[in-house]
Amino acid sequence: MWFDRKNPNVLFADRRSETITVTDRSHGNASGTRTIHIAPDTLMDFRAMPFPDETFKLVAFDPPHLVQAGPKSWLAAKYGKLSDNWREDLNKGFAECFRVLEPHGVLVFKWNETQVKLREVLALTPHQPLFGNTSGKKAGTHWLVFMKGTTP
């Protein structure tokens, strides 16, 4: 998603920092494996961000979107997997994103609705997106843009 993760204006955060090798035979991958490097700038949980209120002008929220994935799934290894309490987790994640945004700050939200429909996720936040797009019925990825008001 990031064009330049080394940009000094970007802070990449994840709850994991690890290198994983998983089975992947897609796209003619001759080795049958794929190595994934997860190397965030900051280790954190999106449900409890370690930043003061109103820290950022822009937040990109790209939470895990899988609720079902096998123990050797490379998608789950790369992107993570939602917990059994995913509704509560995403509700807290949205609340944290808006908490750390300055007034009139922008939240860019990415969601793939392969397993959970976007409408179910949007029901977890009182905020309404300003606009967004989808990448088509087959891909199911949505990009939505929210703006924080002047009151929390």
Side-chain angles (χ1 to χ4, degrees), residues 24 26-27 69 75 97 111 135 145:
D24 178 17
S26 65
H27 308 290
L75 279 174
C97 288
W111 185 256
S135 58
V145 177

Side-chain angles (χ1 to χ4, degrees), residues 1-150:
M1 144 174 182
W2 298 103
F3 289 117
D4 180 9
R5 194 182 297 173
K6 303 256 186 246
N7 184 308
N9 296 310
V10 172
L11 175 69
F12 171 50
D14 200 301
R15 63 188 272 179
R16 307 167 297 155
S17 180
E18 58 190 345
T19 297
I20 307 165
T21 300
V22 294
T23 301
D24 178 17
R25 292 185 178 82
S26 65
H27 308 290
N29 184 347
S31 74
T33 63
R34 178 184 295 206
T35 300
I36 301 164
H37 303 283
I38 302 164
D41 301 316
T42 299
L43 286 172
M44 63 164 231
D45 186 325
F46 67 73
R47 298 168 298 182
M49 295 185 201
F51 307 109
D53 294 357
E54 302 180 357
T55 299
F56 301 103
K57 296 180 184 306
L58 185 141
V59 171
F61 186 29
D62 182 13
H65 60 269
L66 299 173
V67 290
Q68 300 170 353
K72 296 184 179 181
S73 164
W74 79 264
L75 279 174
K78 184 172 184 179
Y79 298 112
K81 182 180 168 189
L82 292 166
S83 77
D84 292 339
N85 298 320
W86 64 267
R87 287 176 180 84
E88 182 181 331
D89 294 342
L90 292 177
N91 176 269
K92 287 179 181 177
F94 274 112
E96 279 293 278
C97 288
F98 282 98
R99 181 187 67 78
V100 301
L101 277 174
E102 295 178 354
H104 304 292
V106 174
L107 171 64
V108 177
F109 176 67
K110 180 182 169 219
W111 185 256
N112 184 291
E113 66 175 5
T114 304
Q115 295 182 3
V116 178
K117 296 294 181 197
L118 179 64
R119 71 180 177 281
E120 292 179 66
V121 174
L122 291 178
L124 303 173
T125 179
H127 304 280
Q128 297 299 312
L130 296 174
F131 62 91
N133 82 328
T134 61
S135 58
K137 290 183 179 181
K138 290 185 180 181
T141 299
H142 300 266
W143 293 85
L144 304 175
V145 177
F146 298 77
M147 181 178 280
K148 181 177 178 176
T150 55

